[in-house]
Amino acid sequence: MKKTLLTAAAALVCAGLGAQNRPNLLTVDAAAEGIPIQKTMYGQFFEDINFAADGGLYAEKVMNRSFEYDNNLQGWKTFGKVRLMDDGPFKNNPHYVRISYSGHPVRKTGLENGGIFGMGVEAGKEYRFSVWARTSGKAKKERVTVMLCNPTADIDPQSFCTETLVVDSPEWKKYELTLVPGMTDPKASLRIILNPEDSSSSLDLEHISLFPAETFNNDDNGLRKDIAEVLAEMKPGILRFPGGCIVEGATLDTRYQWKKTVGPVENRPINENRWIYDQGNRMFPDYYQSGGLGFYEYFRFAEEVGAEPLPVLSCGIACQFENDMSIPGNMVPLDELQPYIDDALDLIEFANGSVKSKWGKVRAEMGHPAPFNLKYLAVGNENWTMEYVNRLAAFKKAINKKYPEIKIVGSSGPFASGEWFDELWPEMRKLGVDLVDEHFYSWEGFYENNADRYDNYPRNGSKVFAGEYACHGSDGKKYNHFNAALVEAAFMTGFERNADVVYMTSYAPLLSHVEGWQWRPDLIWFDNLNVMRSCSYYVQKIYSTNKGTRSVPLTMDGRPVANKEGQHQLCASSVIDDVTGEIIIKIANLSNYSQEINLNIKGAAELMSCQLTTLHSDNPVAENTIEDPYQVVPVESTIDLTRKATEENSLGMRKASDGSPILTDRIGPRTFAMYKFSTR
Ligand code: AHR
């Protein structure tokens, strides 16, 4: 929404008018050399939590498509004569179903899949059904009816779509057809019914899949377009994946193993999701990782959105939160760590190696002969104790030796302060890791009072990756309310001011299915058909798409503006974009009152125009929802820089005694505002 900001009436320029008497004089030194802002500064952390992958970003609609969940028929309803078989064509996924004539012409045989919380389908859109099949009776051909339906609603199947698939070989083959539903339904099911040729009729079905024909960038085995587009809008500088705790696994054997997630999807083995049993009331015993969204797809997505890929690998320790490390099996002995280290070396080869190398060849065969240009690798997620440090040291030695150009990210444990944190940071420095990953899920007060967190960090050595953070409400309402987003915005001014220390940041978690979450707040919520951007999303996007190229000093009374005494609950930062010539000032007003602010920009070329973006709600606990997604959204307006401020209390432009311009404006109570001045 665009509107023109009304400023107070003014007529004359009055040089130096009462600047020192006005409150909140924020001085930007635009002539300063400043600190380069890393391209990686604002990124995304993707973890398969809250059904973010299968049932979320990964566009596949069928649950348990290869019949490999612990309960092989989980997600499926069968009727008639259906048998589970285990000698299928794909080594890592040997199960499939045999559907046969029921013994009576009236009785049907078939199966039905309800998707993950239902299948969202839209009227008139194309869906690609595929299946590996073979005839297993005497008939040369078998026919199946493939349909979309909603067995729980009173809807005539005619309203959806019904097609016939002919299977014409006793050898395994992939068959495809297109389904175009006549209606939109968030909770459709896929039904397959055998139309027997004769009494010997029998058909084998494996890897039953349903994808929207349209995916992000129309990739095969692609991503849900609407969710991926919302991610892409943020223009992330990094993409950290695949976790989080799922990297570690609840047990070592269920840790994330990237090699199992590349190659043909039909042969990628499933893995139990670390979040399957997390909380009693939010546990989902059907939460598995199909591996369909695997490392190739992550690299490709990072490339498509222009982010640096940042894979995280297991360091050989199962989730430390869940496990007793003294129990054998939860930690790989140091002298048995080599296979884990090899996984890291092989991953670098997979990403960057020549097509003639073993793993580079795999990448090329998957469709990407060009390297992915991997630059960063994280070893361990939330690990701590010297056992972690020793394992990381072994990884680092091997990686540095073979790939000295790869930058290594180490962990500072699960909390961003305290005993573990204090022990780990010096160890990380000693090891010389390039970045240290900090995690902080804290209450409002932490974010309000710590915008200066990084002001006194050492300027040399390992840099900070604020890899997981989000404001969790102190009132127990841990959603994505406006106030949480506001205090995050205030805290983030400290990232920008300290861009020589903070090189990467990412909010967490990123995605959540409204019916399948284990953890909240989350940045982006979705159901089977819709995506919702939280208030925090807008803060992240404003920062990420306006990060500039260098951070320049912004001070009030000679001090950084970080909600300190006498600073009227303001936090602020300023950056310059040398490509566009813009000067960008971000201010969070944490007070409950509207305040005058005076932006004095020194050393800049002439200010040509100013775009104002604000994020505000009168209700601190207002939140966007799937049903009402635009309750709190950024509002854009243009500030008329030709208006002159002439009186002590008027708004508009005037000049400081040195002739530099001052914009006087008012910032509303509990408001995040961004002023973007163009100089060209
Ligand atoms: O972001 C959710 C979880 O929080 C991550 O998996 C883990 O790293 C942290 O504890």
Side-chain angles (χ1 to χ4, degrees):
M1 193 197 313
K2 296 250 178 206
K3 66 180 185 199
T4 300
L5 191 81
L6 293 178
T7 54
L12 297 166
V13 182
C14 187
L17 176 73
Q20 63 278 30
N21 299 326
R22 295 209 182 221
N24 303 330
L25 179 66
L26 274 48
T27 304
V28 176
D29 183 357
E33 189 184 332
I35 312 163
I37 303 234
Q38 302 298 313
K39 177 182 174 288
T40 52
M41 181 65 141
Y42 301 109
Q44 287 170 347
F45 161 46
F46 182 94
E47 174 167 25
D48 187 1
I49 182 173
N50 308 317
F51 287 84
D54 295 281
L57 184 60
Y58 186 46
E60 172 66 88
K61 294 195 178 292
V62 175
M63 173 191 271
N64 190 14
R65 62 189 173 186
S66 293
F67 306 99
E68 296 299 338
Y69 283 21
D70 286 333
N71 167 358
N72 295 87
L73 289 177
Q74 195 147 23
W76 294 95
K77 282 184 195 148
T78 64
F79 46 97
K81 205 168 161 194
V82 179
R83 255 176 78 196
L84 181 71
M85 312 291 284
D86 64 2
D87 59 348
F90 305 112
K91 191 169 141 265
N92 295 324
N93 293 320
H95 291 95
Y96 62 96
V97 288
R98 173 161 294 169
I99 60 174
S100 309
Y101 176 59
S102 68
H104 190 287
V106 174
R107 291 180 67 198
K108 304 281 183 207
T109 285
L111 66 165
E112 179 184 302
N113 191 285
I116 298 177
F117 309 112
M119 294 180 181
V121 296
E122 290 177 82
K125 294 221 164 149
E126 293 188 353
Y127 295 86
R128 196 167 20 92
F129 169 83
S130 68
V131 61
W132 284 78
R134 67 177 178 186
T135 56
S136 45
K138 288 192 187 127
K140 285 208 160 58
K141 283 185 184 165
E142 295 288 359
R143 286 178 176 74
V144 282
T145 300
V146 182
M147 64 197 287
L148 289 169
C149 60
N150 186 331
T152 58
D154 189 15
I155 302 168
D156 181 349
Q158 303 282 346
S159 315
F160 285 98
C161 48
T162 302
E163 299 291 341
T164 299
L165 181 80
V166 180
V167 176
D168 59 4
S169 168
E171 302 302 324
W172 284 106
K173 259 175 45 181
K174 186 176 180 179
Y175 295 84
E176 280 191 347
L177 58 74
T178 300
L179 296 172
V180 184
M183 62 173 288
T184 295
D185 191 336
K187 297 277 182 188
S189 290
L190 173 72
R191 191 174 281 175
I192 299 165
I193 306 167
L194 177 69
N195 297 323
E197 291 292 306
D198 59 34
S199 60
S200 80
S201 271
S202 189
L203 189 61
D204 294 343
L205 304 174
E206 160 65 317
H207 198 88
I208 302 174
S209 168
L210 185 72
F211 263 81
E214 202 184 357
T215 57
F216 185 64
N217 271 354
N218 288 327
D219 292 325
D220 279 350
N221 192 45
L223 307 182
R224 220 179 101 172
K225 191 166 184 264
D226 54 349
I227 299 178
E229 281 178 350
V230 171
L231 295 175
E233 263 174 38
M234 272 175 68
K235 299 197 193 310
I238 46 147
L239 181 70
R240 176 179 182 242
F241 58 87
C245 291
I246 68 160
V247 167
E248 300 157 358
T251 57
L252 264 182
D253 58 341
T254 55
R255 73 188 185 281
Y256 197 98
Q257 297 184 57
W258 74 266
K259 285 175 180 164
K260 295 184 174 176
T261 72
V262 297
V265 284
E266 293 87 347
N267 203 29
R268 298 184 194 172
I270 64 146
N271 192 12
E272 180 181 284
N273 191 296
R274 148 73 177 77
W275 298 103
I276 190 168
Y277 302 125
D278 198 57
Q279 303 167 33
N281 65 327
R282 303 298 307 171
M283 77 179 204
F284 294 89
D286 54 2
Y287 195 1
Y288 290 78
Q289 303 166 67
S290 70
L293 173 52
F295 261 41
Y296 177 81
E297 288 75 24
Y298 284 123
F299 277 117
R300 197 180 51 184
F301 182 59
E303 184 176 67
E304 286 167 349
V305 298
E308 295 292 349
L310 169 53
V312 188
L313 296 183
S314 160
C315 66
I317 303 178
C319 182
Q320 280 180 267
F321 255 113
E322 286 211 352
N323 290 298
D324 179 347
M325 287 301 125
S326 62
I327 297 174
N330 286 330
M331 196 182 310
V332 182
L334 263 177
D335 59 2
E336 293 172 24
L337 198 59
Q338 195 54 44
Y340 289 73
I341 295 174
D342 289 343
D343 275 354
L345 299 173
D346 292 344
L347 177 63
I348 300 168
E349 184 175 291
F350 174 75
N352 295 351
S354 107
V355 296
K356 292 198 178 121
S357 65
K358 176 176 170 197
W359 288 103
K361 184 162 176 269
V362 174
R363 180 193 72 237
E365 282 168 359
M366 291 183 77
H368 203 289
F372 282 119
N373 199 14
L374 176 70
K375 299 187 184 88
Y376 304 93
L377 186 64
V379 178
N381 167 47
E382 274 177 358
N383 297 106
W384 62 96
T385 68
M386 286 309 289
E387 274 99 357
Y388 166 60
V389 176
N390 295 337
R391 279 157 186 75
L392 174 62
F395 272 85
K396 185 167 181 294
K397 192 170 165 205
I399 296 169
N400 285 168
K401 185 164 173 220
K402 192 159 181 196
Y403 298 107
E405 69 284 7
I406 296 290
K407 297 199 183 320
I408 298 186
V409 182
S411 163
S412 63
F415 309 117
S417 61
E419 197 188 326
W420 297 334
F421 181 84
D422 292 343
E423 181 189 19
L424 279 169
W425 251 106
E427 293 298 335
M428 293 299 121
R429 288 186 181 286
K430 247 190 267 167
L431 269 183
V433 298
D434 298 281
L435 292 121
V436 179
D437 186 7
E438 297 188 348
H439 294 182
F440 35 98
Y441 297 103
S442 281
W443 64 295
E444 290 89 343
F446 171 87
Y447 294 95
E448 288 177 352
N449 298 320
N450 282 289
D452 60 348
R453 173 181 173 89
Y454 298 109
D455 290 7
N456 298 314
Y457 264 48
R459 303 337 261 183
N460 297 319
S462 312
K463 302 298 177 188
V464 170
F465 172 29
E468 293 187 26
Y469 70 94
C471 172
H472 285 208
S474 54
D475 59 356
K477 194 167 185 265
K478 299 167 115 193
Y479 308 128
N480 291 99
H481 47 74
F482 165 71
N483 194 47
L486 175 68
V487 301
E488 285 155 10
F491 183 82
M492 291 170 77
T493 57
F495 292 159
E496 283 195 348
R497 188 172 50 256
N498 292 288
D500 54 337
V501 169
V502 183
Y503 272 28
M504 292 181 182
T505 63
S506 48
Y507 181 101
L510 184 62
L511 290 175
S512 188
H513 194 298
V514 288
E515 291 177 64
W517 59 268
Q518 297 83 49
W519 183 297
R520 60 183 172 178
D522 304 291
L523 199 64
I524 298 161
W525 291 78
F526 56 89
D527 63 13
N528 293 343
L529 290 175
N530 306 286
V531 193
M532 181 277 281
R533 299 157 180 85
S534 68
C535 302
S536 295
Y537 172 89
Y538 288 114
V539 167
Q540 293 292 322
K541 184 179 167 191
I542 288 171
Y543 269 93
S544 182
T545 54
N546 296 283
K547 62 177 177 294
T549 52
R550 65 190 153 104
S551 166
V552 291
L554 181 153
T555 51
M556 185 163 145
D557 301 327
R559 293 180 296 158
V561 186
N563 185 22
K564 295 293 144 189
E565 209 177 331
Q567 296 193 324
H568 308 137
Q569 293 176 267
L570 296 173
C571 290
S573 58
S574 57
V575 298
I576 291 183
D577 190 320
D578 286 314
V579 179
T580 60
E582 288 159 342
I583 300 168
I584 305 164
I585 301 171
K586 302 181 186 89
I587 308 176
N589 176 11
L590 298 173
S591 77
N592 287 324
Y593 46 91
S594 152
Q595 305 195 48
E596 180 180 305
I597 47 152
N598 293 279
L599 304 178
N600 181 196
I601 300 174
K602 294 196 187 294
E606 193 184 350
L607 304 179
M608 309 298 285
S609 63
C610 182
Q611 285 293 123
L612 173 65
T613 306
T614 56
L615 190 70
H616 169 74
S617 171
D618 289 338
N619 175 9
V621 293
E623 59 189 334
N624 296 332
T625 60
I626 288 280
E627 296 72 30
D628 190 359
Y630 303 116
Q631 268 200 54
V632 187
V633 294
V635 175
E636 290 183 7
S637 59
T638 303
I639 293 184
D640 181 357
L641 297 185
T642 63
R643 296 199 180 206
K644 313 292 183 200
T646 54
E647 297 164 22
E648 287 286 318
N649 62 355
S650 71
L651 307 184
M653 295 300 292
R654 60 206 165 85
K655 287 203 162 105
S657 51
D658 63 2
S660 59
I662 299 177
L663 169 66
T664 300
D665 195 25
R666 289 198 78 77
I667 182 167
R670 300 204 73 80
T671 297
F672 174 48
M674 177 179 72
Y675 294 84
K676 186 148 83 172
F677 294 92
S678 80
T679 58
R680 292 179 191 155

